[in-house]
Amino acid sequence: MKILITGSSGYIGLCLFSFLKSKKNKILGIDKKKTKLNKQNNFIKCNLLDFKKSFKIINNYKPDLIIHLAAESTLDNISNKKKYVLNNVHVTKNILEISKIIKLKYFIFSSTASVYAPLNKPIEEKYFKKAKNIYGKTKILNEQGIIKEF
């Protein structure tokens, strides 16, 4: 299977990349940050806000599956809300638009437990969503956008 992982420079992205590659999949990582994967032919540095460049890369690769991990998640910089909206919501919109154009078969979106109101018990997916920070709020917006698209 041809898999594209966005946000492949992050901790989860790097771990997932290594795991899936060991299963004999063809993997391409894409991220705006440099990583140790840069030295290999299976990583491309690209800011996914750049629709034209992102489209060209993804269309040329023709993945069967996109695993979308890319997001601004550094909670110590929560005052810069515009950065979260751009890097989380607009990037996801770009990826969804590209996915529709190339007729992508499979799409996995990485959300977060931050979309739920704080509880002192295990969280279930059916619980009411009420994010307490901009990171969680952008993930809710993405979930709503994905539901509308598919």
Side-chain angles (χ1 to χ4, degrees):
M1 180 176 269
K2 288 178 77 174
I3 303 169
L4 182 129
I5 301 172
T6 69
S8 61
S9 291
Y11 177 75
I12 294 172
L14 284 169
C15 292
L16 185 61
F17 189 99
S18 297
F19 174 77
L20 292 173
K21 190 168 184 182
S22 72
K23 302 295 181 195
K24 306 288 185 208
N25 294 295
K26 187 173 180 185
I27 312 293
L28 177 66
I30 188 168
D31 202 302
K32 68 180 180 182
K33 298 176 185 171
K34 290 185 178 185
T35 178
K36 61 184 176 183
L37 296 176
N38 278 23
K39 297 177 183 167
Q40 302 172 22
N41 291 332
N42 47 8
F43 174 83
I44 297 176
K45 183 179 178 195
C46 174
N47 187 333
L48 295 167
L49 283 170
D50 183 339
F51 184 87
K52 278 180 139 177
K53 185 175 180 184
S54 301
F55 176 77
K56 184 177 179 183
I57 292 165
I58 295 169
N59 189 46
N60 286 340
Y61 185 63
K62 302 202 183 313
D64 301 303
L65 164 66
I66 292 177
I67 301 175
H68 182 40
L69 305 175
E72 184 66 43
S73 62
T74 311
L75 294 176
D76 61 343
N77 190 21
I78 215 113
S79 62
N80 190 348
K81 293 181 181 182
K82 183 178 180 182
K83 184 177 179 182
Y84 281 83
V85 173
L86 286 172
N87 287 309
N88 296 358
V89 179
H90 290 281
V91 163
T92 301
K93 284 181 182 179
N94 283 352
I95 297 296
L96 289 173
E97 183 64 28
I98 293 167
S99 296
K100 280 179 21 182
I101 293 169
I102 68 166
K103 297 180 178 150
L104 182 74
K105 293 178 187 175
Y106 307 104
F107 182 85
I108 296 173
F109 173 70
S110 177
S111 193
T112 176
S114 293
V115 300
Y116 299 103
L119 298 170
N120 289 330
K121 60 182 179 178
I123 297 171
E124 293 182 21
E125 218 173 323
K126 65 183 179 185
Y127 287 163
F128 179 72
K129 293 181 181 173
K130 186 174 181 175
K132 293 287 185 184
N133 59 49
I134 189 65
Y135 173 65
K137 289 175 184 176
T138 60
K139 290 292 192 168
I140 290 172
L141 289 171
N142 283 336
E143 289 177 11
Q144 292 167 346
I146 291 167
I147 290 168
K148 286 179 187 173
E149 289 296 323
F150 297 96

